[in-house]
Amino acid sequence: MNRPIRVAVTGPSGAIGYSILFRIAAGDLFGPNQPVELRLLSRDTDQSRLRLKGVMMELADCAFPLLADMSAHTDEKDLFDGAQCVFLIGAQPRKEGMDRADLLRANGEIFRRQGRALNERASRDARILVVGNPCNTNAFIAMRNAPDLAPECFSAMMRLDQNRATARLAEHLGLPVSGIEQVIVWGNHSNSMYPDIRFARYRGKRVDNQLDPQWQNEFIQNVATRGGQIIKARGASSAASAASAALDHMRDWILGSEGRCCTMAVPSDGSYGIPRGLMFGFPCFCPGEGRYQIISNMPLTPEVKAHIDKNRDELLKEAQAVSDLIF
């Protein structure tokens, strides 16, 4: 049996955190032969500690063979000590009357602090996935506050957007989702994101020639607003699908995507005119061992380029709004 991988999770008692923990412990992230050690963050309040205690009691009662150890922490430096795999899920949700700038400011303080704690205590080859929104800019803040960690240690989750786009395409074509590949989402995890299906394949065959322009326009809007549709339908935000996407993202990143294209928000290397270091959603290949490669030669139409530029400008504006939080 391998040595346990140390996995740190913020927001473990929230809906997404609760959904992801049991799957990690069951082996859905690293496979059936890799034990894990869960390190879980609690706010320093009696209520938060009690809630997390209940979650940990449930984890223990599942008797997962791969769950080698778990611990609760209120100090972020202790939480990240030696962490090899990190899910930054906990973030303040948008409240009534709060605009995106307010949310950026509130969460920016959290991710600046966590970036510094990661810089001091996390493993030097940690893989850190930011799920808490606005995830692109939160990841950018955390990365810039961790100068001793390579920028490639950080990523933000846009896999949910890719999964949503893939599912909508499969539904429209009446095909199994398992055969759909090469669906791309560019940019920011916001309503400006651009799902790109020009290269979509089903079992290696093109499908874009089966799609009429009107449906494609509806599709783009549908993917961008899917989160709001779910809130309206169930009275709560998407949690299980977000947790599942976070696992998909991290598993492909660490173990490899087996030749499949996957959407990751990662620090730009200058591809497609995106300023270096900006946390931007790109098509990537993951060869394994915690590495990724931005696919830098995708052909762009004027329409796609305009959407990419819009996302670039939006993220630059967000970065400017939190410029005082950047190391």
Side-chain angles (χ1 to χ4, degrees):
M1 186 71 75
N2 298 319
R3 293 182 60 182
I5 291 176
R6 184 168 287 189
V7 181
V9 181
T10 70
S13 301
I16 297 174
Y18 184 80
S19 295
I20 205 171
L21 291 178
F22 295 86
R23 293 188 59 185
I24 295 172
D28 288 356
L29 177 54
F30 298 114
N33 299 311
Q34 178 57 63
V36 295
E37 173 193 342
L38 291 176
R39 300 174 69 85
L40 311 174
L41 182 67
S42 167
R43 292 193 301 274
D44 195 12
T45 66
D46 290 342
Q47 182 182 22
S48 182
R49 284 191 290 265
L50 186 60
R51 287 186 66 191
L52 182 54
K53 179 181 178 181
V55 173
M56 295 172 72
M57 289 168 69
E58 281 201 87
L59 282 163
D61 288 350
C62 290
F64 290 117
L66 294 173
L67 183 54
D69 192 16
M70 59 179 165
S71 55
H73 304 266
T74 55
D75 182 88
E76 288 159 341
K77 292 181 181 179
D78 290 340
L79 174 77
F80 297 137
D81 188 36
Q84 300 158 282
C85 177
V86 180
F87 292 91
L88 299 183
I89 298 173
Q92 180 176 318
R94 183 181 294 186
K95 299 177 181 177
E96 186 175 353
M98 181 183 284
D99 61 23
R100 191 172 178 88
D102 295 328
L103 189 65
L104 281 166
R105 169 60 50 182
N107 282 322
E109 295 285 354
I110 295 171
F111 287 88
R112 174 171 66 169
R113 186 179 67 247
Q114 291 181 351
R116 290 176 173 176
L118 286 160
N119 189 64
E120 186 171 332
R121 301 290 283 275
S123 169
R124 300 301 88 176
D125 61 353
R127 291 299 175 259
I128 302 157
L129 175 61
V130 176
V131 178
N133 282 319
C135 63
N136 292 59
T137 296
N138 287 340
F140 181 66
I141 293 169
M143 176 189 71
R144 292 291 295 269
N145 280 278
D148 298 329
L149 293 173
E152 292 77 21
C153 291
F154 290 86
S155 181
M157 190 183 77
M158 292 189 66
R159 184 60 170 266
L160 178 57
D161 307 310
Q162 178 186 322
N163 287 354
R164 285 170 169 169
T166 301
R168 301 290 78 71
L169 181 59
E171 286 174 359
H172 180 70
L173 295 172
L175 296 171
V177 71
S178 60
I180 302 290
E181 295 182 341
Q182 292 185 213
V183 175
I184 300 164
V185 182
W186 300 92
N188 192 11
H189 180 64
S190 73
N191 287 353
S192 297
M193 73 181 79
Y194 184 70
D196 186 351
I197 50 177
R198 293 175 298 144
F199 311 102
R201 299 287 188 272
Y202 177 73
R203 302 195 186 284
K205 296 182 179 179
R206 286 180 54 185
V207 298
D208 61 302
N209 52 7
Q210 303 176 41
L211 307 172
D212 64 81
Q214 180 178 347
W215 180 85
Q216 292 190 56
N217 289 333
E218 294 170 355
F219 160 81
I220 292 168
Q221 183 66 15
N222 193 355
V223 173
T225 61
R226 183 70 168 184
Q229 296 171 36
I230 290 170
I231 291 173
K232 184 176 180 180
R234 69 181 293 261
S237 61
S238 51
S241 57
S244 186
L247 287 174
D248 290 343
H249 180 126
M250 189 69 82
R251 184 174 51 244
D252 282 351
W253 190 7
I254 293 176
L255 301 181
S257 60
E258 299 179 340
R260 289 175 286 104
C261 173
C262 50
T263 297
M264 299 174 66
V266 297
S268 173
D269 61 358
S271 296
Y272 306 104
I274 306 304
R276 287 184 176 274
L278 196 66
M279 197 68 64
F280 198 87
F282 292 107
C284 296
F285 285 131
C286 296
E289 299 180 351
R291 294 177 293 129
Y292 66 82
Q293 179 182 352
I294 295 172
I295 303 171
S296 60
N297 59 351
M298 303 290 264
L300 302 181
T301 65
E303 179 187 2
V304 175
K305 183 66 165 59
H307 282 286
I308 289 175
D309 290 348
K310 179 180 180 181
N311 277 267
R312 175 201 63 201
D313 294 346
E314 182 178 77
L315 283 166
L316 286 171
K317 185 177 179 180
E318 290 185 10
Q320 180 61 38
V322 295
S323 60
D324 60 312
L325 302 177
I326 296 170
F327 187 86

